[in-house]
Amino acid sequence: QVQLKESGPGLVQPSQTLSLTCTVSGFSLTSNSVHWVRQPPGKGLEWMGGIWGDGSTDYNSALKSRLSISRDTSKSQVFLKMNSLQTDDTAIYFCTKPYSGFNWFAYWGQGTLVTVSS
Amino acid sequence: DVVLTQTPVSLLISLGGQASISCRSSQSLVHSNGNTYLHWYLQKPGQSPQLLIYQVSNRFSGIPDRFSGSGSGTDFTLKISRVEPEDLGVYYCLQRTHNPDTFGAGTKLELK
């Protein structure tokens, strides 16, 4: 069955770079897109960006200058890198996948909490 | 960016009661292909969002018929009838018609 699992450091210092990994199973990255969504504690959801089956990427314009999404299809992993982190980047970071090539996000990882603090 | 305005911010409902949540968009969510990519999610405490309704009015697999979605253009509604304890949490609308995808700010459903 489809599964996604985020991993990464729980704590990042201000101005540093965040690196997260989404390890997936149950589907191929070459024919499915995977997206990142984040949620500051107690707040709402923000779509960050995604990588499509052909390897092309899409980013939220608000984050585009700091954000990079890539993948390793042989390892079934999708990566998020975001630089110049500030305290308001503290959030739970989720990876998510649309249902069977359709438009709606149906599968979500459990999320990983990233705290930006010195 | 498309702004989705959800109202109310919170709802106090008795078990067995009915809840209605509005999601209004700053622009039409009808895609050039004719589809409307407005979806609804429930996030229970400590959990990831779960898909309830896709494309305005279609219940996702396993979602009970107590949940229904309606609307068109810029105005959408999620209705929950016969509220049960497992329905409690924060409801979000999401539009994927226009880039970037945007979520509503959420509506918290609590028990009266």
Side-chain angles (χ1 to χ4, degrees):
Chain A
Q1 73 275 30
V2 172
Q3 291 186 319
L4 305 96
K5 186 171 184 179
E6 307 87 350
S7 58
L11 181 65
V12 178
Q13 294 199 332
S15 80
Q16 297 301 301
T17 296
L18 171 65
S19 294
L20 295 177
T21 299
C22 175
T23 302
V24 308
S25 60
F27 66 96
S28 170
L29 290 176
T30 58
S31 51
N32 291 273
S33 65
V34 172
H35 300 252
W36 290 93
V37 171
R38 69 177 179 175
Q39 183 173 39
K43 296 191 177 179
L45 300 159
E46 179 184 34
W47 176 80
M48 301 180 70
I51 186 163
W52 300 90
D54 64 0
S56 61
T57 51
D58 233 340
Y59 299 113
N60 188 323
S61 55
L63 301 170
K64 190 171 183 174
S65 63
R66 302 195 287 139
L67 183 61
S68 173
I69 298 174
S70 60
R71 68 184 185 184
D72 183 334
T73 56
S74 67
K75 294 182 178 178
S76 293
Q77 292 180 325
V78 175
F79 308 108
L80 176 149
K81 284 192 191 321
M82 190 162 69
N83 58 32
S84 305
L85 253 59
Q86 300 302 321
T87 54
D88 60 1
D89 292 312
T90 294
I92 299 172
Y93 288 76
F94 298 98
C95 54
T96 179
K97 173 199 173 307
Y99 179 77
S100 248
F102 289 105
N103 176 279
W104 37 97
F105 298 139
Y107 306 101
W108 294 73
Q110 65 196 17
T112 186
L113 174 63
V114 174
T115 302
V116 181
S117 174
S118 54
Chain B
D1 297 359
V2 172
V3 176
L4 297 180
T5 302
Q6 274 186 247
T7 53
V9 171
S10 65
L11 267 177
L12 276 175
I13 302 291
S14 302
L15 284 178
Q18 177 165 299
S20 181
I21 300 170
S22 169
C23 177
R24 288 190 170 153
S25 174
S26 59
Q27 56 184 281
S28 172
L29 297 184
V30 180
H31 193 274
S32 56
N33 64 12
N35 291 324
T36 300
Y37 297 121
L38 186 284
H39 318 306
W40 289 95
Y41 292 82
L42 165 60
Q43 187 175 32
K44 298 180 183 180
Q47 295 187 18
S48 309
Q50 64 177 97
L51 177 64
L52 299 173
I53 301 284
Y54 63 90
Q55 280 191 232
V56 181
S57 60
N58 300 281
R59 276 187 302 277
F60 189 57
S61 173
I63 302 302
D65 61 6
R66 301 184 293 101
F67 292 88
S68 64
S70 63
S72 62
T74 61
D75 219 332
F76 304 92
T77 302
L78 174 71
K79 284 190 164 63
I80 311 150
S81 60
R82 306 184 303 279
V83 167
E84 298 186 6
E86 64 258 31
D87 301 338
L88 304 184
V90 182
Y91 289 80
Y92 294 96
C93 53
L94 162 67
Q95 71 81 21
R96 298 204 70 212
T97 296
H98 302 286
N99 193 316
D101 300 348
T102 48
F103 290 87
T107 295
K108 188 172 186 178
L109 180 61
E110 297 174 291
L111 277 183
K112 190 183 290 183

